[in-house]
Amino acid sequence: MAIGDIIVGIDIGTSKVSTVVGEVNNFNQIEIISSTSSKCEGIKKGKIINEDEIALAIAKTIEKAEEEANIKINSAYVTIPGKYATIVQNNVTKELKDKYSGISARDVGQTIMQLRDIEIPDGKTIIDIVPNEFILKDGTKTTDPVGSLSPEFTLNAQIILADKDYTRLLSSILKKAGLDIDGMVPNTLAERNLILDVNELHDNVMLLDIGAGNTDIGVFEGESFIYTNTIPLRRR
C-alpha cells in the first residue's frame, strides 16, 4: 500500500449493507474517511434471495460514501460468510539461484504464486492467499524475508477457497451496482486486525460475529487462520 491509496470494503449482512472507505495515511495505516449503511433484506440465513435488493442497497451506500469522501468509487473488497469459505494449509520451499544475492521481493512473489498449485475441489475457487510465516534455511522465522541472506526459504500459508456459485452471485450483484471486485474476504478474517490488539494477534483466538440472522466463527492459531463457518439464527 502507498500513502494516499483508497481502499473500499463492503459487508453484506442479513439486515443491512455497510460500506467503509479508508485512506492509507503517512504511518501506513488505514484511516477511515467514510462509513455508510443501508437497510437490506436480500439475504436470509446466509443465502442470497434477492440480488436486485442487495445491489440497490450497495449502490445507496456507495453514493453516500462518494459524497462523504468526495471521491469516485469503481471497485471494492467484499466479505463472504464463513459457511462459503474453506481454508487449506500449504507450504512451498524455494531455492535461490544465487544464494549470496539475498531474498528479493520477486522471489517472494513467485513463491506465493506457487502456492496456488493445489488440487481445487469441484465447485470451489481460490479467493485469497494469506502468508503465515517464512522460515529461512537456518530455521529463523520471519514475516518479511526480503533482503535476508539465505540459500532457500519456506513459506507457510493458508489458501482461502470459496464456493464458486456464491462468488459468481457476488460478482453479478456488484456489477449491477456498477462496481468491480478487488477481492473477497471471509468475515472474521476481515475483522481480525480490527478487533485484536498486537499481543492477541499471536494467541489462539476464536472470533464470533453475532449478526441479525447469522453468527460467523473464525478460529486463529497464532498467525494461522484455521477455521471459519456460519451458524444461522434459529427463530421460534
Side-chain angles (χ1 to χ4, degrees), residues 3-57:
I3 296 174
D5 281 355
I6 298 295
I7 299 174
V8 181
I10 297 174
D11 178 58
I12 305 171
T14 304
S15 62
K16 66 179 180 179
V17 168
S18 299
T19 293
V20 175
V21 181
E23 182 177 6
V24 180
N25 61 24
N26 294 333
F27 302 100
N28 203 36
Q29 299 171 329
I30 299 177
E31 184 176 336
I32 303 301
I33 59 176
S34 174
S35 179
T36 62
S37 63
S38 178
K39 291 183 179 180
C40 178
E41 296 182 352
I43 287 185
K44 186 175 183 181
K45 293 184 178 181
K47 294 182 179 180
I48 295 173
I49 59 173
N50 192 323
E51 290 186 44
D52 292 335
E53 183 171 346
I54 298 173
L56 179 60

Side-chain angles (χ1 to χ4, degrees), residues 12 46-49 51 54 78 80-81 83-86 120-127 161-174 181 184:
I12 305 171
K47 294 182 179 180
I48 295 173
I49 59 173
E51 290 186 44
I54 298 173
V78 60
I80 65 171
K83 66 183 291 184
Y84 295 110
T86 303
I120 302 175
D122 291 341
K124 300 288 185 180
T125 185
I126 296 176
I127 61 168
L161 306 178
D163 183 271
K164 189 176 291 185
D165 289 338
Y166 191 84
T167 60
R168 285 173 179 166
L169 280 176
L170 282 183
S171 297
S172 174
I173 289 169
L174 263 72
I181 292 183
M184 300 180 188

Side-chain angles (χ1 to χ4, degrees), residues 138-206:
D138 63 3
T140 300
K141 297 181 180 180
T142 178
T143 56
D144 184 7
V146 175
S148 299
L149 293 176
S150 179
E152 69 177 42
F153 65 91
T154 298
L155 170 56
N156 294 326
Q158 290 82 50
I159 313 299
I160 312 297
L161 306 178
D163 183 271
K164 189 176 291 185
D165 289 338
Y166 191 84
T167 60
R168 285 173 179 166
L169 280 176
L170 282 183
S171 297
S172 174
I173 289 169
L174 263 72
K175 186 175 182 180
K176 289 180 180 180
L179 298 171
D180 293 325
I181 292 183
D182 290 322
M184 300 180 188
V185 187
N187 286 336
T188 50
L189 179 59
E191 295 164 346
R192 178 174 181 257
N193 290 334
L194 296 175
I195 297 173
L196 304 182
D197 62 29
V198 175
N199 295 322
E200 291 171 332
L201 288 173
H202 303 287
D203 293 338
N204 298 336
V205 175
M206 180 174 70

Side-chain angles (χ1 to χ4, degrees), residues 189-231:
L189 179 59
E191 295 164 346
R192 178 174 181 257
N193 290 334
L194 296 175
I195 297 173
L196 304 182
D197 62 29
V198 175
N199 295 322
E200 291 171 332
L201 288 173
H202 303 287
D203 293 338
N204 298 336
V205 175
M206 180 174 70
L207 295 182
L208 297 178
D209 179 1
I210 303 173
N214 297 299
T215 294
D216 260 79
I217 301 170
V219 179
F220 299 87
E221 185 177 342
E223 295 289 337
S224 300
F225 184 34
I226 63 173
Y227 177 78
T228 185
N229 207 339
T230 305
I231 301 175

Side-chain angles (χ1 to χ4, degrees), residues 80-99:
I80 65 171
K83 66 183 291 184
Y84 295 110
T86 303
I87 304 166
V88 178
Q89 307 294 326
N90 195 15
N91 64 77
V92 170
T93 297
K94 182 174 179 62
E95 295 183 5
L96 274 62
K97 293 182 179 179
D98 183 355
K99 63 181 180 180

